[in-house]
Amino acid sequence: DIVVTQSPDSLAVSLGARATITCKSSQSLLYSSNLKSYLAWYQQKPGQPPKLLISWASIRESGVPDRFSGSGSGTEYTLTISGLQAEDVAEYYCQQYYSTPYTFGQGTKLEIQ
Amino acid sequence: EVQVVESGGGLVQRGGSLRLSCSVSGFTFSDYAMFWVRQAPGKGLEYVSAINSDGGSTNYADSVQGRFSISRDNSKNTLYLQMSSLRPEDTAVYYCVRAGHSSDWYSWFDPWGQGTLVTVSS
């Protein structure tokens, strides 16, 4: 199974500042035939289901604010929130869909400092 | 509007069985792979099972292999998860999720239902 490890487990950032969450996988998520990285990012607020933010490591879902961006390739990926807003307080998860069983990172709790 | 609605959760004793259902609307159900993902109270997300668009292929997490069975009825736009030999560690909110794109099940998960809570007592 592919192990996906997020860091940090929790993060406190000032309003308007940048938040960066890292996701590392135990094997490459880059598929050589299409050069796509099979990595997604989700946001989950308390009492709600997860919401897709980014697919293919860097493609922002329609309606997601452009302060959210994803990058990376191979085994290392990053979710960046530029200009943190109060509504961004949530748990964030990365997920690999390169191979079954699909696996999630353990989550990063983002708070306002 | 795409909608995914789970039902069937509840309280069950260790060793018991339960069947979850997921009713969908707003898209052509038979075009998409579907998944079950669970989240234990206060914990992270855990993939449970997948089924391809025609129901011919399935996949399970090791933790539920041999105890859970995923199926679908494309004529009823409904996904199922039959759970048996339930354990206290199966206690979780179970989410029904659609594949993000229709070509195959190597896909992100979107959208997610609101979830249904399964509680297994010891």
Side-chain angles (χ1 to χ4, degrees):
Chain A
D1 298 0
I2 297 176
V3 176
V4 177
T5 305
Q6 273 180 249
S7 61
D9 291 336
S10 63
L11 183 60
V13 175
S14 301
L15 287 172
R18 174 178 297 181
T20 302
I21 300 169
T22 299
C23 182
K24 294 184 179 181
S25 58
S26 59
Q27 67 183 73
S28 177
L29 305 181
L30 179 65
Y31 192 40
S32 57
S33 67
N34 59 14
L35 298 181
K36 289 185 174 182
S37 290
Y38 285 57
L39 189 285
W41 289 96
Y42 303 89
Q43 176 194 65
Q44 186 178 31
K45 297 181 179 180
Q48 297 183 18
K51 171 190 171 185
L52 175 71
L53 295 176
I54 287 171
S55 60
W56 301 125
S58 63
I59 306 299
R60 196 167 43 245
E61 177 72 357
S62 175
V64 173
D66 61 7
R67 63 180 180 273
F68 291 89
S69 63
S71 63
S73 185
T75 61
E76 296 199 19
Y77 299 87
T78 300
L79 174 69
T80 301
I81 308 171
S82 302
L84 189 73
Q85 303 294 308
E87 61 263 33
D88 300 334
V89 169
E91 191 91 18
Y92 292 84
Y93 296 92
C94 60
Q95 177 231 341
Q96 66 83 15
Y97 50 97
Y98 184 92
S99 68
T100 57
Y102 302 130
T103 44
F104 293 87
Q106 75 276 21
T108 295
K109 186 174 184 178
L110 177 59
E111 299 173 313
I112 303 296
Q113 190 172 53
Chain B
E1 180 190 4
V2 174
Q3 287 199 320
V4 175
V5 180
E6 305 92 338
S7 61
L11 176 63
V12 61
Q13 289 190 329
R14 176 198 292 267
S17 299
L18 207 58
R19 189 177 83 158
L20 305 183
S21 298
C22 172
S23 178
V24 311
S25 60
F27 64 97
T28 304
F29 182 59
S30 58
D31 284 348
Y32 288 83
M34 296 292 295
F35 310 93
W36 289 99
V37 177
R38 68 184 180 184
Q39 186 169 36
K43 302 297 184 181
L45 301 169
E46 181 188 15
Y47 164 84
V48 173
S49 184
I51 188 167
N52 72 339
S53 58
D54 67 11
S57 295
T58 59
N59 183 267
Y60 300 92
D62 288 346
S63 58
V64 306
Q65 180 77 48
R67 300 187 300 122
F68 289 14
S69 177
I70 190 172
S71 62
R72 63 192 296 161
D73 186 336
N74 286 347
S75 68
K76 296 183 178 179
N77 288 353
T78 304
L79 176 73
Y80 303 100
L81 185 67
Q82 179 67 48
M83 305 184 293
S84 60
S85 302
L86 283 161
R87 307 165 180 168
E89 54 265 36
D90 294 319
T91 294
V93 173
Y94 284 74
Y95 294 104
C96 171
V97 199
R98 193 195 73 176
H101 66 83
S102 62
S103 59
D104 60 47
W105 72 11
Y106 292 100
S107 171
W108 59 95
F109 297 167
D110 181 62
W112 298 59
Q114 289 295 314
T116 187
L117 177 63
V118 173
T119 303
V120 184
S121 65
S122 54

